[in-house]
Coordinates of all heavy atoms in Angstrom, one line a residue:
T156 N -20.1 28.0 -9.8 CA -19.2 27.2 -9.0 C -18.0 26.8 -9.6 O -16.9 26.9 -9.1 CB -20.0 26.1 -8.3 OG1 -21.1 26.5 -7.5 CG2 -19.1 25.1 -7.5
S157 N -18.1 26.4 -11.0 CA -17.0 25.9 -11.7 C -15.9 27.0 -11.8 O -14.7 26.7 -11.9 CB -17.5 25.3 -13.0 OG -17.9 26.4 -13.9
A160 N -14.0 27.1 -8.6 CA -13.3 25.8 -8.5 C -12.0 25.8 -9.4 O -11.0 25.4 -9.0 CB -14.2 24.7 -8.8
L180 N -6.9 12.2 -11.8 CA -8.3 12.1 -11.2 C -8.7 13.4 -10.6 O -7.9 14.1 -10.0 CB -8.2 11.0 -10.1 CG -9.5 10.7 -9.3 CD1 -10.5 9.9 -10.2 CD2 -9.2 9.9 -8.0
V181 N -10.0 13.7 -10.9 CA -10.5 15.0 -10.4 C -11.8 14.6 -9.6 O -12.8 14.0 -10.1 CB -11.0 16.0 -11.6 CG1 -11.6 17.2 -11.0 CG2 -9.8 16.3 -12.4
I182 N -11.9 15.0 -8.4 CA -13.1 14.9 -7.5 C -13.5 16.2 -6.9 O -12.7 17.0 -6.5 CB -12.8 13.9 -6.4 CG1 -12.2 12.6 -6.8 CG2 -14.1 13.6 -5.7 CD1 -11.9 11.7 -5.8
V183 N -14.8 16.6 -7.2 CA -15.3 17.9 -6.7 C -16.4 17.6 -5.7 O -17.4 16.9 -6.0 CB -15.8 18.8 -7.9 CG1 -16.3 20.1 -7.3 CG2 -14.8 19.0 -8.9
G184 N -16.3 18.2 -4.5 CA -17.3 18.2 -3.5 C -18.1 19.4 -3.7 O -17.6 20.6 -3.6
T185 N -19.4 19.3 -4.0 CA -20.2 20.5 -4.2 C -21.7 20.2 -4.1 O -22.1 19.0 -4.4 CB -20.0 21.3 -5.5 OG1 -20.7 22.6 -5.5 CG2 -20.4 20.5 -6.7
I186 N -22.6 21.1 -3.6 CA -24.1 20.9 -3.7 C -24.6 22.0 -4.6 O -25.8 22.1 -4.6 CB -24.7 20.9 -2.3 CG1 -24.3 22.1 -1.5 CG2 -24.4 19.6 -1.5 CD1 -25.3 22.4 -0.3
S187 N -23.7 22.9 -5.2 CA -24.2 24.0 -6.0 C -23.6 23.9 -7.4 O -23.0 24.9 -7.8 CB -24.0 25.3 -5.3 OG -22.6 25.3 -4.9
S188 N -23.7 22.7 -8.0 CA -23.1 22.6 -9.4 C -23.7 23.5 -10.4 O -24.9 23.9 -10.2 CB -23.1 21.1 -9.8 OG -24.5 20.7 -9.8
D189 N -23.0 23.9 -11.4 CA -23.5 24.8 -12.4 C -24.7 24.2 -13.1 O -25.7 25.0 -13.4 CB -22.4 25.0 -13.5 CG -21.1 25.7 -13.0 OD1 -20.8 25.7 -11.8 OD2 -20.4 26.4 -13.8
Y190 N -24.7 23.0 -13.3 CA -25.8 22.4 -14.1 C -26.4 21.2 -13.2 O -25.8 20.7 -12.4 CB -25.2 21.7 -15.4 CG -24.4 22.6 -16.2 CD1 -23.1 22.2 -16.7 CD2 -24.8 23.9 -16.6 CE1 -22.3 23.0 -17.4 CE2 -24.1 24.7 -17.5 CZ -22.8 24.2 -17.8 OH -22.0 25.1 -18.5
F191 N -27.6 20.8 -13.6 CA -28.2 19.7 -12.9 C -27.3 18.5 -13.1 O -27.1 17.7 -12.2 CB -29.7 19.5 -13.4 CG -30.5 18.5 -12.6 CD1 -31.0 18.9 -11.4 CD2 -30.7 17.2 -13.1 CE1 -31.7 18.1 -10.6 CE2 -31.4 16.4 -12.3 CZ -31.9 16.8 -11.1
F192 N -27.0 18.2 -14.3 CA -25.9 17.3 -14.7 C -25.1 17.7 -15.9 O -25.7 18.5 -16.7 CB -26.3 15.9 -14.7 CG -27.2 15.6 -15.9 CD1 -26.5 15.2 -17.2 CD2 -28.6 15.5 -15.9 CE1 -27.3 14.9 -18.3 CE2 -29.4 15.2 -17.1 CZ -28.7 14.9 -18.2
P193 N -23.9 17.4 -16.2 CA -23.0 16.6 -15.3 C -22.5 17.5 -14.2 O -22.8 18.6 -14.1 CB -21.9 16.1 -16.2 CG -21.9 17.2 -17.2 CD -23.2 17.7 -17.4
G194 N -21.5 17.0 -13.4 CA -21.0 17.7 -12.3 C -19.9 18.7 -12.8 O -19.5 18.7 -13.8
V195 N -19.5 19.5 -11.7 CA -18.5 20.5 -11.9 C -17.2 19.8 -12.4 O -16.4 20.5 -13.0 CB -18.3 21.3 -10.6 CG1 -17.1 22.2 -10.6 CG2 -19.5 22.2 -10.4
S196 N -16.9 18.7 -11.8 CA -15.6 18.0 -12.2 C -15.4 17.9 -13.7 O -14.3 18.0 -14.1 CB -15.6 16.5 -11.5 OG -16.9 15.9 -11.8
A197 N -16.5 17.6 -14.4 CA -16.3 17.5 -15.9 C -15.8 18.8 -16.5 O -15.0 18.9 -17.3 CB -17.7 17.1 -16.5
Q198 N -16.5 20.0 -15.9 CA -16.0 21.3 -16.4 C -14.6 21.6 -16.1 O -13.8 22.1 -16.9 CB -16.9 22.4 -15.8 CG -18.3 22.3 -16.3 CD -19.2 23.2 -15.4 OE1 -19.8 22.7 -14.4 NE2 -19.5 24.4 -15.8
I199 N -14.2 21.2 -14.9 CA -12.8 21.4 -14.4 C -11.8 20.6 -15.2 O -10.7 21.0 -15.8 CB -12.6 21.2 -13.0 CG1 -13.5 22.0 -12.1 CG2 -11.1 21.3 -12.5 CD1 -13.2 23.5 -12.3
Q200 N -12.3 19.3 -15.4 CA -11.4 18.4 -16.2 C -11.1 18.9 -17.7 O -10.1 19.0 -18.2 CB -12.2 17.1 -16.2 CG -11.3 15.9 -16.7 CD -11.5 15.6 -18.2 OE1 -12.0 16.4 -18.9 NE2 -11.0 14.5 -18.6
G209 N -10.5 10.5 -15.3 CA -11.8 10.3 -14.6 C -12.1 11.6 -13.8 O -11.1 12.2 -13.2
A210 N -13.3 11.9 -13.7 CA -13.7 13.1 -12.9 C -15.2 12.9 -12.5 O -16.0 12.5 -13.2 CB -13.7 14.3 -13.9
F211 N -15.4 13.1 -11.2 CA -16.8 13.0 -10.7 C -17.0 13.9 -9.5 O -16.1 14.4 -8.8 CB -17.2 11.6 -10.3 CG -16.2 10.9 -9.4 CD1 -16.5 10.9 -8.0 CD2 -15.0 10.2 -9.8 CE1 -15.6 10.4 -7.0 CE2 -14.3 9.6 -8.8 CZ -14.5 9.7 -7.5
D212 N -18.4 14.2 -9.1 CA -18.7 15.0 -8.0 C -19.2 14.2 -6.9 O -19.6 13.1 -7.1 CB -19.8 16.0 -8.5 CG -19.4 17.1 -9.3 OD1 -18.3 17.1 -9.9 OD2 -20.2 18.1 -9.3
I213 N -19.0 14.8 -5.7 CA -19.6 14.1 -4.5 C -20.5 15.1 -3.7 O -20.1 16.2 -3.4 CB -18.4 13.7 -3.5 CG1 -17.6 12.5 -4.2 CG2 -18.9 13.3 -2.2 CD1 -16.5 11.8 -3.4
K214 N -21.7 14.7 -3.5 CA -22.8 15.6 -3.0 C -23.0 15.3 -1.6 O -24.0 15.1 -1.1 CB -24.0 15.3 -3.8 CG -24.9 16.5 -4.0 CD -26.1 16.1 -4.9 CE -26.9 17.3 -5.3 NZ -27.9 16.8 -6.2
A215 N -21.9 15.5 -0.7 CA -21.9 15.2 0.7 C -22.0 16.5 1.5 O -21.5 16.5 2.6 CB -20.9 14.1 1.1
A216 N -22.5 17.5 0.8 CA -22.6 18.9 1.6 C -21.3 19.3 2.2 O -20.2 19.3 1.7 CB -23.8 18.8 2.4
S218 N -19.5 17.9 4.4 CA -18.5 16.9 4.6 C -17.8 16.6 3.3 O -17.0 15.6 3.2 CB -19.2 15.7 5.2 OG -19.8 15.9 6.3
A219 N -18.3 17.2 2.2 CA -17.8 16.6 0.9 C -16.4 16.8 0.6 O -15.8 15.9 -0.2 CB -18.7 17.3 -0.2
F220 N -15.7 17.7 1.2 CA -14.2 17.8 1.0 C -13.6 16.5 1.5 O -12.7 16.0 0.9 CB -13.7 19.1 1.4 CG -12.2 19.3 1.0 CD1 -11.7 19.5 -0.2 CD2 -11.2 19.0 2.0 CE1 -10.3 19.5 -0.6 CE2 -9.9 19.0 1.7 CZ -9.4 19.2 0.5
Y222 N -14.9 13.8 2.4 CA -15.4 12.5 1.6 C -14.4 12.4 0.3 O -14.0 11.4 0.0 CB -16.9 12.6 1.2 CG -17.8 12.0 2.2 CD1 -17.9 12.4 3.4 CD2 -18.6 10.9 1.8 CE1 -18.8 11.9 4.4 CE2 -19.5 10.4 2.6 CZ -19.6 10.9 4.0 OH -20.6 10.2 4.8
S223 N -14.2 13.5 -0.4 CA -13.5 13.5 -1.6 C -12.1 13.2 -1.4 O -11.5 12.4 -2.2 CB -13.6 14.9 -2.3 OG -15.0 15.2 -2.5
L224 N -11.5 13.8 -0.4 CA -10.2 13.5 0.0 C -9.9 12.0 0.3 O -9.0 11.4 -0.1 CB -9.8 14.3 1.3 CG -8.4 14.5 1.7 CD1 -7.6 15.5 0.7 CD2 -8.3 15.1 3.1
V226 N -11.7 9.5 -0.8 CA -11.7 8.6 -2.1 C -10.5 8.7 -2.8 O -9.9 7.8 -3.2 CB -13.0 9.1 -2.9 CG1 -13.0 8.4 -4.2 CG2 -14.3 8.9 -2.2
L240 N -6.7 15.6 -8.0 CA -7.1 17.0 -7.7 C -8.5 16.9 -7.0 O -9.4 16.3 -7.5 CB -7.3 17.8 -9.0 CG -7.9 19.2 -8.8 CD1 -7.2 20.1 -8.0 CD2 -8.2 19.8 -10.3
V241 N -8.5 17.4 -5.7 CA -9.6 17.3 -4.9 C -10.1 18.8 -4.6 O -9.3 19.6 -4.1 CB -9.3 16.6 -3.5 CG1 -10.5 16.5 -2.7 CG2 -8.8 15.2 -3.9
I242 N -11.3 19.0 -4.8 CA -11.9 20.4 -4.8 C -13.1 20.5 -3.9 O -13.9 19.5 -3.9 CB -12.2 20.9 -6.2 CG1 -11.1 20.8 -7.2 CG2 -12.7 22.4 -6.1 CD1 -11.4 21.0 -8.6
G243 N -13.3 21.5 -3.1 CA -14.5 21.8 -2.5 C -14.9 23.2 -3.0 O -14.1 24.1 -2.9
A244 N -16.2 23.3 -3.5 CA -16.5 24.7 -4.2 C -18.0 24.8 -4.2 O -18.8 23.9 -4.3 CB -16.1 24.7 -5.7
E245 N -18.4 26.1 -3.8 CA -19.8 26.4 -3.7 C -20.1 27.8 -4.1 O -19.3 28.7 -3.8 CB -20.4 26.3 -2.3 CG -20.0 25.0 -1.6 CD -20.9 23.8 -2.0 OE1 -21.8 24.0 -2.9 OE2 -20.7 22.7 -1.4
A394 N -18.9 22.8 1.3 CA -17.8 21.9 0.9 C -16.5 22.7 0.8 O -15.4 22.1 0.8 CB -18.1 21.2 -0.4

Side-chain angles (χ1 to χ4, degrees):
T156 296
S157 68
L180 177 71
V181 180
I182 309 179
V183 180
T185 187
I186 54 166
S187 51
S188 52
D189 294 26
Y190 310 127
F191 191 76
F192 72 83
V195 168
S196 50
Q198 294 167 275
I199 300 302
Q200 196 264 13
F211 57 91
D212 283 21
I213 290 186
K214 211 176 190 177
S218 306
F220 181 76
Y222 267 62
S223 304
L224 195 72
V226 174
L240 169 61
V241 180
I242 306 169
E245 307 283 2

